[in-house]
């Protein structure tokens, strides 16, 4: 029985469907991978995913920020791991090719005056989302602890020991 070779676009669709089946939202990564698939199918139709192909695709957009290049590279790296299961010609892409490009932004330290101003500002949040006290508590946690917004929003009552 002969098996027809899938296009890269079909491979990406299969990968995205697989990841979503595992509970991943995968929206931004899907967009990145569809862009990659168009490049691969246009320039290298029927060819397997290789390190050279990944590097060449990332290099097609030299104007992108290093963090965006890293996101593109990481997305293709995950795709390669998935495709390797069925296609031995797929090359596993090393993790460290673009890591030197990525540098975290220097955190901004708010002054006491800026914190007071932020705490007393009533942001235009739709009614019913959060009450004023909740917004100020979240903002206070973000400012004073350096927590990320999702960490703050994921907090539960049992995560806080009010006695200590």
């Amino acid at each position: 029985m002969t098996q027809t070779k899938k296009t890269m676009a079909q491979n990406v669709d299969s990968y995205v469907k697989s990841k979503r089946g595992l509970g991943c939202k995968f929206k931004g990564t899907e967009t990145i991978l569809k862009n990659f698939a168009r490049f691969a199918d246009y320039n290298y139709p029927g060819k397997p995913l290789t390190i050279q192909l990944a590097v060449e695709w990332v290099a097609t957009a030299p104007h992108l920020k290093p963090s965006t290049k890293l996101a593109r590279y990481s997305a293709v790296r995950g795709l390669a791991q998935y495709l390797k299961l069925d296609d031995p010609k797929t090359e596993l892409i090393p993790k460290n090719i673009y890591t030197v490009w990525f540098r975290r932004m220097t955190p901004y330290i708010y002054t006491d005056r800026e914190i007071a101003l932020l705490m007393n500002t009533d942001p235009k949040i739709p009614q019913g989302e959060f009450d004023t006290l909740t917004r100020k508590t979240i903002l206070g946690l973000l400012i004073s602890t350096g927590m990320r917004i999702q960490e703050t929003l994921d907090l539960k009552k049992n995560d806080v020991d009010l006695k200590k």
Side-chain angles (χ1 to χ4, degrees), residues 10-100:
Q10 290 170 323
N11 286 330
V12 165
D13 288 341
S14 175
Y15 176 55
V16 169
K17 184 177 179 182
S18 169
K19 292 297 272 186
R20 288 213 172 109
L22 296 171
C24 296
K25 291 184 182 171
F26 229 59
K27 273 220 182 289
T29 305
E30 178 181 15
T31 303
I32 290 170
L33 290 174
K34 285 188 175 192
N35 184 307
F36 169 73
R38 281 190 295 277
F39 175 84
D41 286 337
Y42 181 80
N43 292 291
Y44 300 97
K47 300 291 183 188
L49 200 164
T50 62
I51 296 168
Q52 178 184 341
L53 174 57
V55 169
E56 188 176 321
W57 175 66
V58 171
T60 62
H63 61 283
L64 294 176
K65 292 188 295 186
S67 59
T68 305
K69 289 180 181 182
L70 182 60
R72 290 176 125 210
Y73 182 73
S74 296
V76 174
R77 188 171 174 271
L79 175 64
Q81 291 170 335
Y82 173 80
L83 295 179
K84 182 72 172 172
L85 298 171
D86 290 327
D87 184 359
K89 292 181 181 177
T90 297
E91 294 178 3
L92 292 177
I93 300 170
K95 189 175 188 175
N96 60 355
I97 288 180
Y98 285 110
T99 54
V100 295

